[in-house]
Amino acid sequence: MLERLEEIRENIFRYLEARIELFTLETRGKLEEGVVVGVHGIVLALLGTMTIIFLFSLLAAYLNEVTNSRYLGFLIVAAFFLILTVIWMAGKDFFKSKIRVAAYSAIKKSQEKKVEEKSDAVQELMAQTRATMGNQEGYSPQNPQSPRTY
């Protein structure tokens, strides 16, 4: 009896160690994924910004040609960005709320997707377990609740 209790205690400790290690691995995986996504986002934002700068410089040069001026095209593009900046500053609260709603929606969708994936994995595991138990114990995989018949 004492030997059985010792075995149970060891199994519990091994289980706890496995859960701690699983938590550590999951946390490390989430951190690594966050860093990768963050670096990818920064590089993408940098490349997008550079592209936009060159496109607007090209637009300004084109407007210079159209207006036969050396500076009017750049002035028009600068005025456009000045107006955009004033609108952004004036509607600060509006834009903040829209960004917050969009971010919340994206996070919620991501969490729902993860929950659905976990649920699907659990259902698949349960189906495999039932099938395995059915094969070993004589249960029918179609109806695992039915009692065995001999």
Side-chain angles (χ1 to χ4, degrees), residues 17-37:
E17 287 174 350
R19 293 291 297 171
I20 291 170
E21 188 172 336
L22 177 63
F23 175 75
T24 304
L25 290 173
E26 287 177 346
T27 304
R28 184 180 301 146
K30 288 178 183 177
L31 183 63
E32 288 172 356
E33 182 67 22
V35 168
V36 168
V37 168

Side-chain angles (χ1 to χ4, degrees), residues 124-137:
E124 183 179 327
L125 184 59
M126 287 175 62
Q128 289 174 354
T129 304
R130 286 184 184 129
T132 303
M133 289 177 61
N135 291 340
Q136 289 178 352
E137 298 179 11

Side-chain angles (χ1 to χ4, degrees), residues 14-96:
R14 277 191 248 138
Y15 172 76
L16 290 174
E17 287 174 350
R19 293 291 297 171
I20 291 170
E21 188 172 336
L22 177 63
F23 175 75
T24 304
L25 290 173
E26 287 177 346
T27 304
R28 184 180 301 146
K30 288 178 183 177
L31 183 63
E32 288 172 356
E33 182 67 22
V35 168
V36 168
V37 168
V39 168
H40 180 264
I42 289 170
V43 169
L44 189 61
L46 178 65
L47 292 174
T49 302
M50 295 294 291
T51 302
I52 289 172
I53 287 171
F54 281 109
L55 287 175
F56 278 107
S57 296
L58 183 63
L59 176 64
Y62 174 74
L63 290 173
N64 282 342
E65 288 292 322
V66 170
T67 60
N68 288 327
S69 171
R70 293 180 65 182
Y71 303 107
L72 193 56
F74 290 103
L75 183 63
I76 293 169
V77 171
F80 169 75
F81 280 109
L82 179 64
I83 292 169
L84 209 59
T85 303
V86 169
I87 291 171
W88 188 265
M89 288 173 57
K92 178 174 78 172
D93 293 334
F94 172 77
F95 290 119
K96 278 184 178 180

Side-chain angles (χ1 to χ4, degrees), residues 2 107 111 133 148:
L2 193 56
I107 291 170
Q111 288 176 342
M133 289 177 61
R148 285 189 284 185

